[in-house]
Amino acid sequence: MDYRSNEWKIIYVLILVFALIQAGIFLALSKQGKAIALETLELELETGAQVLDRLLGLRHRQLEQSARVLAADIDIRAALMRNDLNTAKALLMSHEGRIGTALMLLSDMDDKLLISIPGYAEDVNPENVGLNSAEYAQAAREPLVALINNGSEMIYQIITVPVSSTLPVAWLTIGFTVADSLVQSLDNVANTQYSFLSRRPDQPWREHVSTFSQEDIVSLLPQLALDSHDAQILKGVSEEYLVMPFTLSRFEDLELIAMVGKSLDQATKPFLDLRATLLLWVLLGALVGALAIYTVTRRMVGPLNTMAHVDLLTGLANRRLFELAVNKLSSTVGTVSAKVPSFGVMLVDLDGFVQINDEYGHTVGDEVLRITAQRLRDILRKSDVIARYGGDEFAVLMPNADRSSCCKVAEMILESLERKITIVGADLEVGISVGIAVSPQDGSDRATLLQRADQAMHSARRAGRGFGFYSEE
């Protein structure tokens, strides 16, 4: 019986507990690290949105100052009062280079386009430019982004102010384009991707300017929850993005938004690198911990386990280990799932051992016990359990043995142990008495089998037969 299996059980349990603790720590740190990475990424998105908002605010103030100056220009107002559009256009163009605007529109109070700088395409009807000057003018206090059809629909940041003499006579709209250069500048400053989108009722979203790839935009837009301004994780073509939409302008027939986003793969790469390093250290720590547990258990628990189950003089199993082995076999007796093989229990007593101890001393007596143990090892199978059961008493457990095989083994034991033992020049002889009980016919539990083997041993000694089986007679 392998008594060291308990040591391995202890080692396995401790390593498992240690590994679970390590895994728990790793998972907790990974989860916390990912949460921190996402939170940091969300803050960066908010920073990117703030950069855009402040840039629009700065450009709005510039537009507002320029528009007020142009609307108050006496020469422009005089040209409009005379309905001299050529002069008014020339005056506006003279200011265009100084202001740096990309768009100047002058319309009458009914939003009929009068002047467009730069000019609109020849195939575009001026009436279809799609101005909402009165609505734009009401929003002049805040940055306004609108879609202007000046040949092709483009997004502009605009401001609209009235041009008045005694009464308002026209609407002046000036603006900066929201172009690739602006978006790329934002991307470089905030290290964030931007996309400007518009949508009319019952129509899909249309991309105007973007640093996202066209494929990613097509993939991201159907997933975007526009009713929420919280950060959202969306799946692109080849990677995931954390994006945040916010409204730029909303009119009765038009909505414009900006979408700010960052690649999760790129943004979380430092975290993933850190997690990989952490995993390496966790695995290394688990390996070192497992080796430490193995070493400590074998060096501390091993000797104690040996003392608890092995007779230190002979190296055989002790009484405790032998009884555990008998209990293990006895527990299978009576099962109905399969036929249980019989097994034999032997008790071997050394007759005359006390006289040897008294005459030659305990050192010689100990040597007799060691030689006896070795002779038993030489005779018996590896599957048999041999134990020093008491002072001069040995026990043998023979699995898968019947009365016939036990009889043959008993004869071999008698022949071997009754041979002379030569120690320090003295030839010593010991008598042998062997009692045998076979399960299940002689009993099915440990106590009964050992008791009946002991009875058989005493009967054999009294009868001078050397060995004997238990008998109820």
Side-chain angles (χ1 to χ4, degrees), residues 44-63:
E44 291 178 359
L45 284 185
E46 292 177 357
T47 300
Q50 291 173 3
V51 169
L52 174 60
D53 185 63
R54 291 181 181 179
L55 179 59
L56 292 176
L58 178 64
R59 286 160 49 116
H60 173 74
R61 288 189 290 274
Q62 182 180 352
L63 286 173

Side-chain angles (χ1 to χ4, degrees), residues 24 41 182 304:
L41 190 58
L182 169 67
L304 296 176

Side-chain angles (χ1 to χ4, degrees), residues 174-188:
I174 64 174
F176 298 121
T177 182
V178 179
D180 291 335
S181 57
L182 169 67
V183 177
Q184 193 61 52
S185 299
L186 288 169
D187 190 358
N188 294 336

Side-chain angles (χ1 to χ4, degrees), residues 323 326-327 330 389 444-454:
E323 291 182 348
V326 177
N327 279 337
S330 299
Y389 200 66
S444 59
D445 62 273
R446 172 183 58 81
T448 301
L449 289 169
L450 288 172
Q451 180 187 13
R452 291 179 175 178
D454 186 66

Side-chain angles (χ1 to χ4, degrees), residues 12-24 282 285-290 293:
Y12 292 149
V13 169
L14 290 177
I15 290 177
L16 178 61
V17 171
F18 182 75
L20 289 175
I21 292 174
Q22 292 283 86
V282 166
L287 177 61
V288 173
I293 289 171

